[in-house]
Amino acid sequence: MNKKTKYNFQQHSKMALKSSPSRLSFSVLMLLLSCLESTTAINRKFSILEQQPNQETQPDNNDHETQKTNDEHRQVGGHAHAHFQVEPSHHDPAHPNKMDPSHYVFLAEPDLHAGETRPVFFANAKPFSSSSSPFLPKKQADSIPFTLSQLPQLLQLFSLSNTSSMARSMGLTLQHCESPPVKGESKTCATSLDSMLHFVRSIFGARTRFRALTTSFIGQRRVDPPVLLQNYTILEVVREEPLAREMIACHGMPYPYAVYYCHHLNGGSKVFSVEVVGDNGERVGATVGCHMDTSGWNSDHVAFHMLGVERGSSPVCHFFEVNSVVWVPVSDVNAY
């Protein structure tokens, strides 16, 4: 690769909008438009990272999201390329009270009702989070290697130091994307909108209509820095998706351009839209997914420790983070 090669993210994001299917749902269009807003800032962040290669890297919310996704499936360890350590899960079964704050997303289905109060972690949707990184057109995304073995060349392509926070996050993302699926799981890492929609169609069927659900803050976050973990009370269960016996969750992953880890688990599901309010008055319109059959999950899954239940004994529900997209089948005329 040419070391001096850099991608014009804004140009390629506009190309993605033009080349994507025309009948996109409103939520997907808003997701794409949000990608365009941060392209200049992304390049500026890369420059800042390059100017501070010796600064000790502190985990950010992107690390929380990547670690949480890893936790939900398997513990990871060992070394990746570019000379950084891939850390194991923060969950310690011997000390169940020592939890990563981002694990506070699980709840039991009977608790999904108005008036229920519980601690919930909602990551901050920062300008540099993966959800605001630009989608590339499929042709451009497919032309860029997406493998852990070529991480050093990728860091060179994007002018990143191998000691930077983004380099570490890229390694975690690539390792997770290359890991095998768990039993009953279909997965992909979508590097373009086209590849994401192709995966959704492959699961739901080419003739099935579907739409995207997201989690978002209602109004501006109240404090800076925002409160990531606090008690939230369910104000209303707005809607249960009537046809969401199957769902596909796509989680934004930290990467220089938009990468979404999309997966589907067998066993049936339920999907709800809820409105919650935090102790500080902050409101969130959240998507909640419930997995009805957990008998195939790892018995040490963090959700079982959080809820005090055993594998396969009851459904497990969880709030979706802000940088996730949940696809569900619908018959709504406004769906994609």
Side-chain angles (χ1 to χ4, degrees), residues 231-265:
N231 283 327
Y232 282 89
T233 299
I234 298 177
L235 296 176
E236 180 184 8
V237 178
V238 180
R239 171 184 172 91
E240 178 181 355
E241 294 298 320
L243 301 179
R245 291 180 295 276
E246 303 290 335
M247 68 174 173
I248 298 170
C250 293
H251 307 276
M253 306 293 281
Y255 214 72
Y257 53 91
V259 172
Y260 280 80
Y261 162 67
C262 298
H263 67 137
H264 168 267
L265 289 170

PDB file of all heavy atoms in Angstrom, residues 231-265:
ATOM      1  N   ASN A 231     -29.412   5.338  37.438  1.00  0.00           N
ATOM      2  CA  ASN A 231     -30.718   4.693  37.511  1.00  0.00           C
ATOM      3  C   ASN A 231     -31.654   5.307  36.475  1.00  0.00           C
ATOM      4  O   ASN A 231     -31.756   6.528  36.352  1.00  0.00           O
ATOM      5  CB  ASN A 231     -31.326   4.863  38.904  1.00  0.00           C
ATOM      6  CG  ASN A 231     -30.704   3.926  39.921  1.00  0.00           C
ATOM      7  OD1 ASN A 231     -30.320   2.810  39.594  1.00  0.00           O
ATOM      8  ND2 ASN A 231     -30.616   4.379  41.161  1.00  0.00           N
ATOM      9  N   TYR A 232     -32.321   4.428  35.737  1.00  0.00           N
ATOM     10  CA  TYR A 232     -33.344   4.855  34.784  1.00  0.00           C
ATOM     11  C   TYR A 232     -34.662   4.198  35.153  1.00  0.00           C
ATOM     12  O   TYR A 232     -34.699   3.029  35.556  1.00  0.00           O
ATOM     13  CB  TYR A 232     -32.976   4.443  33.355  1.00  0.00           C
ATOM     14  CG  TYR A 232     -31.929   5.329  32.703  1.00  0.00           C
ATOM     15  CD1 TYR A 232     -30.580   5.061  32.841  1.00  0.00           C
ATOM     16  CD2 TYR A 232     -32.320   6.436  31.940  1.00  0.00           C
ATOM     17  CE1 TYR A 232     -29.628   5.871  32.238  1.00  0.00           C
ATOM     18  CE2 TYR A 232     -31.375   7.246  31.329  1.00  0.00           C
ATOM     19  CZ  TYR A 232     -30.031   6.954  31.476  1.00  0.00           C
ATOM     20  OH  TYR A 232     -29.093   7.768  30.879  1.00  0.00           O
ATOM     21  N   THR A 233     -35.741   4.944  35.008  1.00  0.00           N
ATOM     22  CA  THR A 233     -37.085   4.430  35.259  1.00  0.00           C
ATOM     23  C   THR A 233     -37.829   4.327  33.937  1.00  0.00           C
ATOM     24  O   THR A 233     -37.815   5.267  33.129  1.00  0.00           O
ATOM     25  CB  THR A 233     -37.867   5.359  36.204  1.00  0.00           C
ATOM     26  OG1 THR A 233     -37.174   5.434  37.457  1.00  0.00           O
ATOM     27  CG2 THR A 233     -39.278   4.838  36.443  1.00  0.00           C
ATOM     28  N   ILE A 234     -38.471   3.188  33.704  1.00  0.00           N
ATOM     29  CA  ILE A 234     -39.250   3.003  32.482  1.00  0.00           C
ATOM     30  C   ILE A 234     -40.542   3.809  32.599  1.00  0.00           C
ATOM     31  O   ILE A 234     -41.344   3.590  33.506  1.00  0.00           O
ATOM     32  CB  ILE A 234     -39.570   1.515  32.252  1.00  0.00           C
ATOM     33  CG1 ILE A 234     -38.278   0.715  32.063  1.00  0.00           C
ATOM     34  CG2 ILE A 234     -40.475   1.343  31.022  1.00  0.00           C
ATOM     35  CD1 ILE A 234     -38.496  -0.785  31.900  1.00  0.00           C
ATOM     36  N   LEU A 235     -40.697   4.776  31.703  1.00  0.00           N
ATOM     37  CA  LEU A 235     -41.910   5.586  31.689  1.00  0.00           C
ATOM     38  C   LEU A 235     -43.030   4.888  30.938  1.00  0.00           C
ATOM     39  O   LEU A 235     -44.193   4.947  31.343  1.00  0.00           O
ATOM     40  CB  LEU A 235     -41.637   6.952  31.033  1.00  0.00           C
ATOM     41  CG  LEU A 235     -40.646   7.864  31.747  1.00  0.00           C
ATOM     42  CD1 LEU A 235     -40.422   9.126  30.926  1.00  0.00           C
ATOM     43  CD2 LEU A 235     -41.143   8.213  33.139  1.00  0.00           C
ATOM     44  N   GLU A 236     -42.663   4.225  29.848  1.00  0.00           N
ATOM     45  CA  GLU A 236     -43.681   3.610  29.006  1.00  0.00           C
ATOM     46  C   GLU A 236     -43.048   2.554  28.109  1.00  0.00           C
ATOM     47  O   GLU A 236     -41.949   2.757  27.590  1.00  0.00           O
ATOM     48  CB  GLU A 236     -44.354   4.676  28.130  1.00  0.00           C
ATOM     49  CG  GLU A 236     -45.428   4.159  27.212  1.00  0.00           C
ATOM     50  CD  GLU A 236     -45.996   5.236  26.302  1.00  0.00           C
ATOM     51  OE1 GLU A 236     -45.443   6.359  26.286  1.00  0.00           O
ATOM     52  OE2 GLU A 236     -46.983   4.947  25.592  1.00  0.00           O
ATOM     53  N   VAL A 237     -43.710   1.421  27.994  1.00  0.00           N
ATOM     54  CA  VAL A 237     -43.362   0.455  26.957  1.00  0.00           C
ATOM     55  C   VAL A 237     -44.187   0.859  25.743  1.00  0.00           C
ATOM     56  O   VAL A 237     -45.385   0.580  25.653  1.00  0.00           O
ATOM     57  CB  VAL A 237     -43.664  -0.991  27.392  1.00  0.00           C
ATOM     58  CG1 VAL A 237     -43.325  -1.962  26.261  1.00  0.00           C
ATOM     59  CG2 VAL A 237     -42.874  -1.339  28.651  1.00  0.00           C
ATOM     60  N   VAL A 238     -43.543   1.588  24.819  1.00  0.00           N
ATOM     61  CA  VAL A 238     -44.261   2.230  23.729  1.00  0.00           C
ATOM     62  C   VAL A 238     -44.855   1.215  22.766  1.00  0.00           C
ATOM     63  O   VAL A 238     -45.997   1.355  22.318  1.00  0.00           O
ATOM     64  CB  VAL A 238     -43.317   3.193  22.967  1.00  0.00           C
ATOM     65  CG1 VAL A 238     -44.052   3.873  21.807  1.00  0.00           C
ATOM     66  CG2 VAL A 238     -42.748   4.236  23.931  1.00  0.00           C
ATOM     67  N   ARG A 239     -44.071   0.163  22.477  1.00  0.00           N
ATOM     68  CA  ARG A 239     -44.525  -0.747  21.428  1.00  0.00           C
ATOM     69  C   ARG A 239     -43.745  -2.054  21.510  1.00  0.00           C
ATOM     70  O   ARG A 239     -42.552  -2.057  21.792  1.00  0.00           O
ATOM     71  CB  ARG A 239     -44.284  -0.089  20.059  1.00  0.00           C
ATOM     72  CG  ARG A 239     -44.497  -0.975  18.834  1.00  0.00           C
ATOM     73  CD  ARG A 239     -44.113  -0.216  17.560  1.00  0.00           C
ATOM     74  NE  ARG A 239     -44.119  -1.063  16.383  1.00  0.00           N
ATOM     75  CZ  ARG A 239     -45.155  -1.262  15.589  1.00  0.00           C
ATOM     76  NH1 ARG A 239     -46.305  -0.666  15.872  1.00  0.00           N
ATOM     77  NH2 ARG A 239     -45.073  -2.031  14.520  1.00  0.00           N
ATOM     78  N   GLU A 240     -44.438  -3.160  21.294  1.00  0.00           N
ATOM     79  CA  GLU A 240     -43.766  -4.420  21.036  1.00  0.00           C
ATOM     80  C   GLU A 240     -43.884  -4.705  19.543  1.00  0.00           C
ATOM     81  O   GLU A 240     -44.981  -4.654  18.980  1.00  0.00           O
ATOM     82  CB  GLU A 240     -44.390  -5.574  21.813  1.00  0.00           C
ATOM     83  CG  GLU A 240     -43.717  -6.914  21.511  1.00  0.00           C
ATOM     84  CD  GLU A 240     -44.339  -8.089  22.252  1.00  0.00           C
ATOM     85  OE1 GLU A 240     -45.242  -7.855  23.089  1.00  0.00           O
ATOM     86  OE2 GLU A 240     -43.922  -9.239  21.993  1.00  0.00           O
ATOM     87  N   GLU A 241     -42.755  -4.952  18.900  1.00  0.00           N
ATOM     88  CA  GLU A 241     -42.760  -5.235  17.476  1.00  0.00           C
ATOM     89  C   GLU A 241     -43.482  -6.557  17.231  1.00  0.00           C
ATOM     90  O   GLU A 241     -43.047  -7.604  17.708  1.00  0.00           O
ATOM     91  CB  GLU A 241     -41.341  -5.303  16.936  1.00  0.00           C
ATOM     92  CG  GLU A 241     -40.600  -3.976  16.993  1.00  0.00           C
ATOM     93  CD  GLU A 241     -41.265  -2.911  16.158  1.00  0.00           C
ATOM     94  OE1 GLU A 241     -41.738  -3.229  15.046  1.00  0.00           O
ATOM     95  OE2 GLU A 241     -41.336  -1.750  16.621  1.00  0.00           O
ATOM     96  N   PRO A 242     -44.593  -6.536  16.498  1.00  0.00           N
ATOM     97  CA  PRO A 242     -45.434  -7.731  16.392  1.00  0.00           C
ATOM     98  C   PRO A 242     -44.814  -8.874  15.606  1.00  0.00           C
ATOM     99  O   PRO A 242     -45.169 -10.038  15.830  1.00  0.00           O
ATOM    100  CB  PRO A 242     -46.696  -7.208  15.693  1.00  0.00           C
ATOM    101  CG  PRO A 242     -46.231  -6.002  14.938  1.00  0.00           C
ATOM    102  CD  PRO A 242     -45.167  -5.381  15.782  1.00  0.00           C
ATOM    103  N   LEU A 243     -43.882  -8.567  14.695  1.00  0.00           N
ATOM    104  CA  LEU A 243     -43.312  -9.609  13.852  1.00  0.00           C
ATOM    105  C   LEU A 243     -41.852  -9.893  14.163  1.00  0.00           C
ATOM    106  O   LEU A 243     -41.144 -10.514  13.365  1.00  0.00           O
ATOM    107  CB  LEU A 243     -43.450  -9.217  12.370  1.00  0.00           C
ATOM    108  CG  LEU A 243     -44.873  -8.981  11.872  1.00  0.00           C
ATOM    109  CD1 LEU A 243     -44.864  -8.574  10.407  1.00  0.00           C
ATOM    110  CD2 LEU A 243     -45.723 -10.231  12.068  1.00  0.00           C
ATOM    111  N   ALA A 244     -41.399  -9.439  15.316  1.00  0.00           N
ATOM    112  CA  ALA A 244     -39.970  -9.539  15.638  1.00  0.00           C
ATOM    113  C   ALA A 244     -39.612 -10.836  16.345  1.00  0.00           C
ATOM    114  O   ALA A 244     -38.843 -10.845  17.306  1.00  0.00           O
ATOM    115  CB  ALA A 244     -39.535  -8.345  16.485  1.00  0.00           C
ATOM    116  N   ARG A 245     -40.185 -11.935  15.868  1.00  0.00           N
ATOM    117  CA  ARG A 245     -39.762 -13.226  16.424  1.00  0.00           C
ATOM    118  C   ARG A 245     -38.309 -13.509  16.037  1.00  0.00           C
ATOM    119  O   ARG A 245     -37.646 -14.340  16.639  1.00  0.00           O
ATOM    120  CB  ARG A 245     -40.687 -14.332  15.911  1.00  0.00           C
ATOM    121  CG  ARG A 245     -42.107 -14.260  16.477  1.00  0.00           C
ATOM    122  CD  ARG A 245     -42.980 -15.368  15.935  1.00  0.00           C
ATOM    123  NE  ARG A 245     -43.192 -15.235  14.503  1.00  0.00           N
ATOM    124  CZ  ARG A 245     -44.134 -14.467  13.945  1.00  0.00           C
ATOM    125  NH1 ARG A 245     -44.939 -13.764  14.733  1.00  0.00           N
ATOM    126  NH2 ARG A 245     -44.282 -14.408  12.638  1.00  0.00           N
ATOM    127  N   GLU A 246     -37.848 -12.809  15.010  1.00  0.00           N
ATOM    128  CA  GLU A 246     -36.450 -12.836  14.622  1.00  0.00           C
ATOM    129  C   GLU A 246     -35.959 -11.407  14.578  1.00  0.00           C
ATOM    130  O   GLU A 246     -36.675 -10.502  14.131  1.00  0.00           O
ATOM    131  CB  GLU A 246     -36.269 -13.487  13.239  1.00  0.00           C
ATOM    132  CG  GLU A 246     -36.821 -14.891  13.126  1.00  0.00           C
ATOM    133  CD  GLU A 246     -36.012 -15.898  13.924  1.00  0.00           C
ATOM    134  OE1 GLU A 246     -34.818 -15.638  14.165  1.00  0.00           O
ATOM    135  OE2 GLU A 246     -36.577 -16.941  14.306  1.00  0.00           O
ATOM    136  N   MET A 247     -34.747 -11.180  15.051  1.00  0.00           N
ATOM    137  CA  MET A 247     -34.158  -9.843  14.958  1.00  0.00           C
ATOM    138  C   MET A 247     -32.685  -9.983  14.578  1.00  0.00           C
ATOM    139  O   MET A 247     -32.053 -10.999  14.831  1.00  0.00           O
ATOM    140  CB  MET A 247     -34.291  -9.084  16.272  1.00  0.00           C
ATOM    141  CG  MET A 247     -33.469  -9.629  17.431  1.00  0.00           C
ATOM    142  SD  MET A 247     -33.554  -8.567  18.888  1.00  0.00           S
ATOM    143  CE  MET A 247     -32.680  -9.589  20.102  1.00  0.00           C
ATOM    144  N   ILE A 248     -32.183  -8.933  13.969  1.00  0.00           N
ATOM    145  CA  ILE A 248     -30.765  -8.852  13.628  1.00  0.00           C
ATOM    146  C   ILE A 248     -30.221  -7.601  14.288  1.00  0.00           C
ATOM    147  O   ILE A 248     -30.732  -6.498  14.058  1.00  0.00           O
ATOM    148  CB  ILE A 248     -30.550  -8.799  12.111  1.00  0.00           C
ATOM    149  CG1 ILE A 248     -31.075 -10.071  11.458  1.00  0.00           C
ATOM    150  CG2 ILE A 248     -29.070  -8.585  11.781  1.00  0.00           C
ATOM    151  CD1 ILE A 248     -31.113 -10.004   9.946  1.00  0.00           C
ATOM    152  N   ALA A 249     -29.221  -7.764  15.118  1.00  0.00           N
ATOM    153  CA  ALA A 249     -28.605  -6.640  15.810  1.00  0.00           C
ATOM    154  C   ALA A 249     -27.275  -6.294  15.144  1.00  0.00           C
ATOM    155  O   ALA A 249     -26.456  -7.180  14.888  1.00  0.00           O
ATOM    156  CB  ALA A 249     -28.376  -6.978  17.284  1.00  0.00           C
ATOM    157  N   CYS A 250     -27.087  -5.027  14.852  1.00  0.00           N
ATOM    158  CA  CYS A 250     -25.840  -4.542  14.271  1.00  0.00           C
ATOM    159  C   CYS A 250     -25.234  -3.528  15.232  1.00  0.00           C
ATOM    160  O   CYS A 250     -25.825  -2.473  15.493  1.00  0.00           O
ATOM    161  CB  CYS A 250     -26.079  -3.908  12.909  1.00  0.00           C
ATOM    162  SG  CYS A 250     -26.611  -5.064  11.623  1.00  0.00           S
ATOM    163  N   HIS A 251     -24.062  -3.853  15.766  1.00  0.00           N
ATOM    164  CA  HIS A 251     -23.401  -3.023  16.760  1.00  0.00           C
ATOM    165  C   HIS A 251     -22.251  -2.259  16.115  1.00  0.00           C
ATOM    166  O   HIS A 251     -21.401  -2.849  15.453  1.00  0.00           O
ATOM    167  CB  HIS A 251     -22.841  -3.886  17.898  1.00  0.00           C
ATOM    168  CG  HIS A 251     -23.849  -4.803  18.516  1.00  0.00           C
ATOM    169  ND1 HIS A 251     -24.721  -4.404  19.504  1.00  0.00           N
ATOM    170  CD2 HIS A 251     -24.130  -6.117  18.277  1.00  0.00           C
ATOM    171  CE1 HIS A 251     -25.493  -5.424  19.854  1.00  0.00           C
ATOM    172  NE2 HIS A 251     -25.154  -6.476  19.120  1.00  0.00           N
ATOM    173  N   GLY A 252     -22.231  -0.946  16.297  1.00  0.00           N
ATOM    174  CA  GLY A 252     -21.139  -0.137  15.780  1.00  0.00           C
ATOM    175  C   GLY A 252     -19.834  -0.495  16.458  1.00  0.00           C
ATOM    176  O   GLY A 252     -19.763  -0.620  17.681  1.00  0.00           O
ATOM    177  N   MET A 253     -18.795  -0.670  15.670  1.00  0.00           N
ATOM    178  CA  MET A 253     -17.483  -1.041  16.173  1.00  0.00           C
ATOM    179  C   MET A 253     -16.496   0.105  15.921  1.00  0.00           C
ATOM    180  O   MET A 253     -16.610   0.818  14.910  1.00  0.00           O
ATOM    181  CB  MET A 253     -16.977  -2.312  15.483  1.00  0.00           C
ATOM    182  CG  MET A 253     -17.936  -3.492  15.570  1.00  0.00           C
ATOM    183  SD  MET A 253     -18.141  -4.121  17.253  1.00  0.00           S
ATOM    184  CE  MET A 253     -16.642  -5.107  17.418  1.00  0.00           C
ATOM    185  N   PRO A 254     -15.535   0.311  16.814  1.00  0.00           N
ATOM    186  CA  PRO A 254     -14.571   1.388  16.608  1.00  0.00           C
ATOM    187  C   PRO A 254     -13.647   1.092  15.437  1.00  0.00           C
ATOM    188  O   PRO A 254     -12.954   0.075  15.423  1.00  0.00           O
ATOM    189  CB  PRO A 254     -13.804   1.444  17.935  1.00  0.00           C
ATOM    190  CG  PRO A 254     -13.972   0.084  18.535  1.00  0.00           C
ATOM    191  CD  PRO A 254     -15.322  -0.398  18.093  1.00  0.00           C
ATOM    192  N   TYR A 255     -13.644   1.971  14.453  1.00  0.00           N
ATOM    193  CA  TYR A 255     -12.845   1.783  13.249  1.00  0.00           C
ATOM    194  C   TYR A 255     -12.796   3.120  12.519  1.00  0.00           C
ATOM    195  O   TYR A 255     -13.660   3.974  12.736  1.00  0.00           O
ATOM    196  CB  TYR A 255     -13.484   0.709  12.360  1.00  0.00           C
ATOM    197  CG  TYR A 255     -12.480  -0.125  11.594  1.00  0.00           C
ATOM    198  CD1 TYR A 255     -11.683  -1.062  12.257  1.00  0.00           C
ATOM    199  CD2 TYR A 255     -12.306   0.026  10.227  1.00  0.00           C
ATOM    200  CE1 TYR A 255     -10.756  -1.817  11.572  1.00  0.00           C
ATOM    201  CE2 TYR A 255     -11.385  -0.734   9.536  1.00  0.00           C
ATOM    202  CZ  TYR A 255     -10.609  -1.657  10.210  1.00  0.00           C
ATOM    203  OH  TYR A 255      -9.674  -2.401   9.530  1.00  0.00           O
ATOM    204  N   PRO A 256     -11.814   3.338  11.645  1.00  0.00           N
ATOM    205  CA  PRO A 256     -11.731   4.628  10.952  1.00  0.00           C
ATOM    206  C   PRO A 256     -12.935   4.935  10.075  1.00  0.00           C
ATOM    207  O   PRO A 256     -13.251   6.089   9.830  1.00  0.00           O
ATOM    208  CB  PRO A 256     -10.456   4.496  10.101  1.00  0.00           C
ATOM    209  CG  PRO A 256      -9.622   3.521  10.843  1.00  0.00           C
ATOM    210  CD  PRO A 256     -10.594   2.538  11.424  1.00  0.00           C
ATOM    211  N   TYR A 257     -13.594   3.914   9.548  1.00  0.00           N
ATOM    212  CA  TYR A 257     -14.841   4.113   8.830  1.00  0.00           C
ATOM    213  C   TYR A 257     -15.888   3.177   9.437  1.00  0.00           C
ATOM    214  O   TYR A 257     -15.571   2.347  10.284  1.00  0.00           O
ATOM    215  CB  TYR A 257     -14.668   3.858   7.324  1.00  0.00           C
ATOM    216  CG  TYR A 257     -14.063   2.521   6.956  1.00  0.00           C
ATOM    217  CD1 TYR A 257     -14.857   1.405   6.727  1.00  0.00           C
ATOM    218  CD2 TYR A 257     -12.675   2.372   6.825  1.00  0.00           C
ATOM    219  CE1 TYR A 257     -14.307   0.177   6.385  1.00  0.00           C
ATOM    220  CE2 TYR A 257     -12.109   1.154   6.476  1.00  0.00           C
ATOM    221  CZ  TYR A 257     -12.927   0.062   6.264  1.00  0.00           C
ATOM    222  OH  TYR A 257     -12.378  -1.155   5.924  1.00  0.00           O
ATOM    223  N   ALA A 258     -17.134   3.318   9.018  1.00  0.00           N
ATOM    224  CA  ALA A 258     -18.215   2.593   9.673  1.00  0.00           C
ATOM    225  C   ALA A 258     -18.073   1.084   9.492  1.00  0.00           C
ATOM    226  O   ALA A 258     -17.999   0.587   8.367  1.00  0.00           O
ATOM    227  CB  ALA A 258     -19.563   3.064   9.133  1.00  0.00           C
ATOM    228  N   VAL A 259     -18.045   0.371  10.607  1.00  0.00           N
ATOM    229  CA  VAL A 259     -18.049  -1.090  10.623  1.00  0.00           C
ATOM    230  C   VAL A 259     -19.093  -1.518  11.652  1.00  0.00           C
ATOM    231  O   VAL A 259     -19.076  -1.038  12.794  1.00  0.00           O
ATOM    232  CB  VAL A 259     -16.672  -1.673  11.003  1.00  0.00           C
ATOM    233  CG1 VAL A 259     -16.771  -3.189  11.212  1.00  0.00           C
ATOM    234  CG2 VAL A 259     -15.636  -1.352   9.930  1.00  0.00           C
ATOM    235  N   TYR A 260     -19.983  -2.385  11.243  1.00  0.00           N
ATOM    236  CA  TYR A 260     -21.022  -2.874  12.142  1.00  0.00           C
ATOM    237  C   TYR A 260     -20.938  -4.390  12.249  1.00  0.00           C
ATOM    238  O   TYR A 260     -20.943  -5.095  11.235  1.00  0.00           O
ATOM    239  CB  TYR A 260     -22.413  -2.467  11.653  1.00  0.00           C
ATOM    240  CG  TYR A 260     -22.772  -1.048  11.987  1.00  0.00           C
ATOM    241  CD1 TYR A 260     -22.291   0.011  11.221  1.00  0.00           C
ATOM    242  CD2 TYR A 260     -23.564  -0.753  13.089  1.00  0.00           C
ATOM    243  CE1 TYR A 260     -22.597   1.325  11.539  1.00  0.00           C
ATOM    244  CE2 TYR A 260     -23.887   0.547  13.424  1.00  0.00           C
ATOM    245  CZ  TYR A 260     -23.400   1.583  12.642  1.00  0.00           C
ATOM    246  OH  TYR A 260     -23.707   2.877  12.973  1.00  0.00           O
ATOM    247  N   TYR A 261     -20.853  -4.866  13.490  1.00  0.00           N
ATOM    248  CA  TYR A 261     -20.913  -6.303  13.761  1.00  0.00           C
ATOM    249  C   TYR A 261     -22.388  -6.688  13.820  1.00  0.00           C
ATOM    250  O   TYR A 261     -23.117  -6.298  14.736  1.00  0.00           O
ATOM    251  CB  TYR A 261     -20.197  -6.610  15.077  1.00  0.00           C
ATOM    252  CG  TYR A 261     -20.542  -7.952  15.671  1.00  0.00           C
ATOM    253  CD1 TYR A 261     -20.155  -9.127  15.038  1.00  0.00           C
ATOM    254  CD2 TYR A 261     -21.263  -8.041  16.861  1.00  0.00           C
ATOM    255  CE1 TYR A 261     -20.489 -10.359  15.574  1.00  0.00           C
ATOM    256  CE2 TYR A 261     -21.589  -9.262  17.410  1.00  0.00           C
ATOM    257  CZ  TYR A 261     -21.206 -10.420  16.759  1.00  0.00           C
ATOM    258  OH  TYR A 261     -21.548 -11.644  17.285  1.00  0.00           O
ATOM    259  N   CYS A 262     -22.851  -7.415  12.822  1.00  0.00           N
ATOM    260  CA  CYS A 262     -24.251  -7.808  12.730  1.00  0.00           C
ATOM    261  C   CYS A 262     -24.390  -9.297  13.020  1.00  0.00           C
ATOM    262  O   CYS A 262     -23.609 -10.102  12.496  1.00  0.00           O
ATOM    263  CB  CYS A 262     -24.795  -7.514  11.328  1.00  0.00           C
ATOM    264  SG  CYS A 262     -24.761  -5.765  10.869  1.00  0.00           S
ATOM    265  N   HIS A 263     -25.369  -9.643  13.819  1.00  0.00           N
ATOM    266  CA  HIS A 263     -25.551 -11.068  14.116  1.00  0.00           C
ATOM    267  C   HIS A 263     -27.007 -11.391  14.400  1.00  0.00           C
ATOM    268  O   HIS A 263     -27.811 -10.534  14.784  1.00  0.00           O
ATOM    269  CB  HIS A 263     -24.647 -11.506  15.284  1.00  0.00           C
ATOM    270  CG  HIS A 263     -25.009 -10.900  16.602  1.00  0.00           C
ATOM    271  ND1 HIS A 263     -25.040 -11.620  17.767  1.00  0.00           N
ATOM    272  CD2 HIS A 263     -25.347  -9.632  16.948  1.00  0.00           C
ATOM    273  CE1 HIS A 263     -25.374 -10.838  18.781  1.00  0.00           C
ATOM    274  NE2 HIS A 263     -25.568  -9.634  18.311  1.00  0.00           N
ATOM    275  N   HIS A 264     -27.308 -12.656  14.177  1.00  0.00           N
ATOM    276  CA  HIS A 264     -28.637 -13.194  14.412  1.00  0.00           C
ATOM    277  C   HIS A 264     -28.470 -14.479  15.207  1.00  0.00           C
ATOM    278  O   HIS A 264     -27.632 -15.314  14.890  1.00  0.00           O
ATOM    279  CB  HIS A 264     -29.332 -13.485  13.084  1.00  0.00           C
ATOM    280  CG  HIS A 264     -30.579 -14.301  13.222  1.00  0.00           C
ATOM    281  ND1 HIS A 264     -30.588 -15.690  13.121  1.00  0.00           N
ATOM    282  CD2 HIS A 264     -31.866 -13.935  13.458  1.00  0.00           C
ATOM    283  CE1 HIS A 264     -31.818 -16.126  13.293  1.00  0.00           C
ATOM    284  NE2 HIS A 264     -32.608 -15.098  13.491  1.00  0.00           N
ATOM    285  N   LEU A 265     -29.260 -14.618  16.266  1.00  0.00           N
ATOM    286  CA  LEU A 265     -29.204 -15.800  17.111  1.00  0.00           C
ATOM    287  C   LEU A 265     -30.493 -16.591  16.970  1.00  0.00           C
ATOM    288  O   LEU A 265     -31.593 -16.014  17.016  1.00  0.00           O
ATOM    289  CB  LEU A 265     -28.991 -15.409  18.577  1.00  0.00           C
ATOM    290  CG  LEU A 265     -27.613 -14.853  18.955  1.00  0.00           C
ATOM    291  CD1 LEU A 265     -27.644 -14.283  20.370  1.00  0.00           C
ATOM    292  CD2 LEU A 265     -26.560 -15.949  18.867  1.00  0.00           C
TER     293      LEU A 265
END
